[in-house]
Amino acid sequence: MMTDHVMPGMTGIELAAASREVRPSLPILLATGYAEMPEGAQLDLPRLAKPYHQDQLRDRLDQLLGADEREPLSDHPLATRPEARL
């Protein structure tokens, strides 16, 4: 149960595992700067490598959530702002 662990006292993988204990069908996407998962990580989760652009994040979330096709995020007026890059 998640009551024993609270962020920031755990890693993202630990949070994902604890969340899956409570809600097994919860969609999870790891955004990480690491090429390899840490040793002992048993979760098979979709990952998005940093750095990434918001279009990439949106595409991965759409895949994960089974979202309908939408207009490209790059067409949004705020997408051209430098701070829009993650």
Side-chain angles (χ1 to χ4, degrees), residues 16-80:
S19 299
R20 285 273 172 90
E21 286 180 24
V22 175
R23 191 169 166 205
S25 63
L26 181 68
I28 297 174
L29 173 66
L30 292 178
T32 180
Y34 296 105
E36 300 293 325
M37 295 295 278
E39 198 169 309
Q42 300 297 319
L43 292 179
D44 183 24
L45 296 171
R47 291 184 289 160
L48 182 61
K50 293 177 185 177
Y52 54 83
H53 191 272
Q54 61 187 1
D55 281 333
Q56 294 169 300
L57 175 60
R58 183 177 179 175
D59 289 346
R60 291 303 300 268
L61 291 174
D62 282 349
Q63 290 171 1
L64 185 65
L65 300 173
D68 296 328
E69 199 167 310
R70 299 179 186 155
E71 67 181 70
L73 191 56
S74 57
D75 292 345
H76 192 280
L78 295 178
T80 57

